[in-house]
Amino acid sequence: MYLERFRLAGETALITGGGRGIGLACAEALGEAGARLVILEPRLEEAEAAAEGLRAKGFQARAIQGDVTDPARMDACAAELQDWAPSVLINNAGVGRNGTSAENLTDAEWRLMMEVNVGGVFWCARAFGRAMIAAKRGVIVNIGSMSGTIVNRPQAQTAYNTSKAAVHHLTRNLAAEWAPHGIRVNAVAPTYIETPMVLAVPENQERIPVWIADTPLGRMGKADEVAAAVLFLASPAASLITGAILAVDGGLTVW
């Protein structure tokens, strides 16, 4: 009985930024649970490469091109996917630049962070949520961050932290508005995750020991650990959970 509640057979899951990192791990987790997968990326070739890799593992997967900062394109994607209308939406696409102090942050850097991390989540939720409202069912899981709750150290990242705090409150607002339509909306709030993008930043080599020292479990996280939490929130196992921000942070935010 209980294991079956984690199954997603008959569902279609769309993952923004699903071509690599946490997004690709989420796609694999949802695919293992039985969902059909749609990978959305700004570059079609990246989405197609991910979808091909997922199909090689035995999952049903297709690719679609779309920039989450373009609301008209998100509406068009929803129209193009009527035959694969997502009943599960994972808003994973985001940018995570940091290290610039607030007084030196440029207008362009601030706007990019807000347009991708906040605007992208809203525009995707609005575009694909309309079909969920019509169907009277659906699940949305947003990728927030522990940085939406705390102020990180030693790096400065005012724009990123602000954007993720906004994602958390957007999650709560959508959960309250759309619960009467049978739609659950939650978020996961990860710690620092060992992805190639994070590990490749030269400045992070000095920061990582500080991050680990601040974490009760004494390590960074892995993409599959975030994906497991996303699978839980996306599945019927979380049927009574909406408006929640699930910390996947190794305990860092308990201090």
Side-chain angles (χ1 to χ4, degrees):
M1 170 184 174
Y2 289 102
L3 287 179
E4 280 302 307
R5 294 182 65 80
F6 288 87
R7 297 291 300 164
L8 292 172
E11 308 292 349
T12 299
L14 184 145
I15 304 96
T16 69
R20 57 189 171 129
I22 291 173
L24 183 57
C26 289
E28 292 175 346
L30 298 170
E32 283 190 17
R36 297 190 302 183
L37 306 169
V38 180
I39 305 300
L40 185 147
E41 285 281 356
R43 296 171 59 244
L44 182 58
E45 56 267 34
E46 187 169 353
E48 288 178 334
E52 182 178 354
L54 291 164
R55 288 193 293 268
K57 294 184 177 182
F59 307 139
Q60 296 184 69
R62 63 186 285 185
I64 191 167
Q65 184 278 329
D67 183 339
V68 298
T69 67
D70 183 346
R73 178 56 190 154
M74 292 304 98
D75 290 343
C77 286
E80 292 171 21
L81 290 170
Q82 289 186 18
D83 58 330
W84 274 45
S87 51
V88 176
L89 170 64
I90 311 301
N91 278 315
N92 166 74
V95 291
R97 299 172 186 173
N98 56 46
T100 303
S101 59
E103 71 273 18
N104 294 316
L105 196 65
T106 67
D107 296 347
E109 289 171 325
W110 176 271
R111 290 189 178 112
L112 175 66
M113 201 73 70
M114 298 304 154
E115 287 178 4
V116 178
N117 291 358
V118 186
V121 170
F122 174 73
W123 288 317
C124 287
R126 185 180 65 180
F128 297 104
R130 288 171 177 146
M132 294 181 184
I133 290 171
K136 287 291 183 181
R137 62 185 299 271
V139 179
I140 297 173
V141 182
N142 300 323
I143 304 299
S145 173
M146 66 173 187
S147 303
T149 303
I150 61 167
V151 175
N152 303 65
R153 64 179 186 178
Q155 72 280 8
Q157 51 184 60
T158 292
Y160 179 79
N161 294 1
T162 302
S163 72
K164 290 301 185 177
V167 169
H168 292 179
H169 208 47
L170 174 58
T171 297
R172 297 183 187 101
N173 276 268
L174 292 178
E177 283 194 34
W178 290 353
H181 300 291
I183 300 168
R184 295 188 298 105
V185 187
N186 293 292
V188 296
T191 184
Y192 304 104
I193 303 299
E194 291 180 350
T195 63
M197 182 173 65
V198 171
L199 298 177
V201 177
E203 294 83 358
N204 284 347
Q205 300 312 308
E206 296 181 359
R207 298 166 180 166
I208 288 172
V210 179
W211 300 345
I212 291 175
D214 280 348
T215 305
L217 287 184
R219 64 178 178 87
M220 295 172 65
K222 299 184 183 300
D224 65 288
E225 294 176 306
V226 180
V230 169
L231 171 59
F232 165 62
L233 290 175
S235 75
S239 57
L240 194 58
I241 301 175
T242 196
I245 313 300
L246 177 58
V248 186
D249 65 1
L252 194 149
T253 58
V254 304
W255 300 122

